[in-house]
Structures are given as C-alpha cells and as structure tokens.
C-alpha cells in the first residue's frame, strides 16, 4: 500500500493537473485517481473492492424491499412455482480468450490512471502487457520495497 501512495504522490507532483482527479473512497478512505468528470465528488467508492461491495449491498437491499411489497410477493411466488415445475438448462459460460493475471477491476483502474497520466485512451491488453514486462525485471540487491519503489521512480520518472 505504501508503494502505491509513493507512486500516486510522484504522479501528482509531476502532473499537477491530475490533483483535481484525486478522490477518496467514502468506505475505506483510500485515495485514488477518478475520471475527470467525477472531480469534486465525495461519494465515490474505490476501484479496489469497495465500489463492487457497495453496489452488491444496494442491489440486495433493493431486492429485499421489492419482494416484501405485495406485488413483489406475487412475482416471487410465481418465480418459485415456475422453478419447481421446469428445470432450467444452464448454458456453459463462453470460454475466456485468456485469464487475466490480476482482478479486472484493478486493471480497469490502471487503464484509467495510465490514460489520465499519458493523456490518451489506454487499452486493457496494453496495460497487461506493460505490467507483465515491468514485473519480469528483478533487482539483484536486497532492499526494502519502499526503497526499491523510490529508486525505480528516480530511474524512470512517470
């Protein structure tokens, strides 16, 4: 987490215009770069899991509220009756072209962040290729991770 903040601070130091895109998660408090259209909003969730968890919780709450109302109870009864009568054939999910090495939400956030930094749209495949290329390079010295991150940023500024 500390290396994430080191990189984020260095990017904001170099690209001061991105400071308006800096947002704080309303659930966990993590700082992250959001889309420029969300500048100034304080109700955003981070792309590291809070956004999806909040969306799922709200969906469950809406569903429970709906099925407790009279028309929802009628619909639920009909759905349950239909489920008992006919078995539903489950279609297999289409095979993915290649499994992603990181969670999709994280990769999409990296696409947004890199796109903001470089000022151009960046594709998911391009980000995966860049990350794999970066992670192949290992240092030969024994240092702490934070020192490695700072040294790397000094060698290759964003």
């Amino acid at each position: 987490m500390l290396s994430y903040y080191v990189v984020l601070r260095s990017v904001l130091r170099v690209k001061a215009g991105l400071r308006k895109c800096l947002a704080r998660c309303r659930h966990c408090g993590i700082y992250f770069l959001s889309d420029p259209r969300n500048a100034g909003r304080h109700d955003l969730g981070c792309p590291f899991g809070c956004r999806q968890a909040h969306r799922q919780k709200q969906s469950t709450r809406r569903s429970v509220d709906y099925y407790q109302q009279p028309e929802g109870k009628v619909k639920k009864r009909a759905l349950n009756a239909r489920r008992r009568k006919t078995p539903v054939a489950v279609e297999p999910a289409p095979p993915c072209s290649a499994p992603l090495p990181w969670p999709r939400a994280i990769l999409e956030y990296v696409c947004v962040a890199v796109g903001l930094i470089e000022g151009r749209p960046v594709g998911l495949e391009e980000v995966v290729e860049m990350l794999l290329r970066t992670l192949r390079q290992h240092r030969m010295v024994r240092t702490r991770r934070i020192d490695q991150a700072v040294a790397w940023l000094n060698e290759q500024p964003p």
Side-chain angles (χ1 to χ4, degrees):
M1 186 59 140
L2 189 57
S3 59
Y4 168 72
Y5 280 128
V6 168
V7 173
L8 186 60
R9 282 184 55 168
S10 67
V11 166
L12 291 174
R13 202 174 303 128
V14 173
K15 300 262 187 180
L18 291 180
R19 189 162 294 281
K20 67 179 183 179
C21 297
L22 188 65
R24 187 174 182 149
C25 178
R26 67 182 239 192
H27 304 290
C28 66
I30 293 174
Y31 285 99
F32 63 97
L33 290 174
S34 71
D35 192 276
R37 294 173 289 187
N38 291 328
R41 288 185 53 186
H42 302 289
D43 61 343
L44 300 176
C46 70
F48 308 118
C50 291
R51 184 182 301 158
Q52 183 62 29
H54 182 68
R55 183 179 293 131
Q56 183 64 40
K57 185 191 277 185
Q58 293 298 75
S59 172
T60 301
R61 187 185 58 76
R62 282 191 308 272
S63 180
V64 166
D65 288 347
Y66 174 74
Y67 286 123
Q68 287 178 347
Q69 296 173 358
E71 63 270 9
K73 287 182 180 182
V74 170
K75 177 149 185 173
K76 186 64 175 171
R77 245 183 249 119
L79 286 171
N80 286 342
R82 192 171 18 157
R83 187 182 319 136
R84 282 187 226 116
K85 289 179 184 176
T86 59
V88 178
V90 177
E91 289 185 23
C96 217
S97 60
L100 296 173
W102 295 279
R104 188 172 191 85
I106 299 293
L107 290 174
E108 288 173 355
Y109 171 69
V110 173
C111 286
V112 169
V114 171
L116 287 171
I117 293 167
E118 293 187 358
R120 66 180 181 87
V122 179
L124 193 66
E125 297 82 20
E126 188 178 355
V127 166
V128 170
E129 178 186 323
M130 173 195 62
L131 289 173
L132 289 173
R133 189 174 54 240
T134 302
L135 289 177
R136 274 197 310 260
Q137 302 168 359
H138 296 287
R139 292 192 172 267
M140 298 300 291
V141 296
R142 289 184 154 193
T143 57
R144 296 183 336 207
R145 281 189 186 205
I146 186 70
D147 296 334
Q148 288 180 3
V150 171
W152 180 79
L153 285 172
N154 287 333
E155 291 172 10
Q156 301 176 3

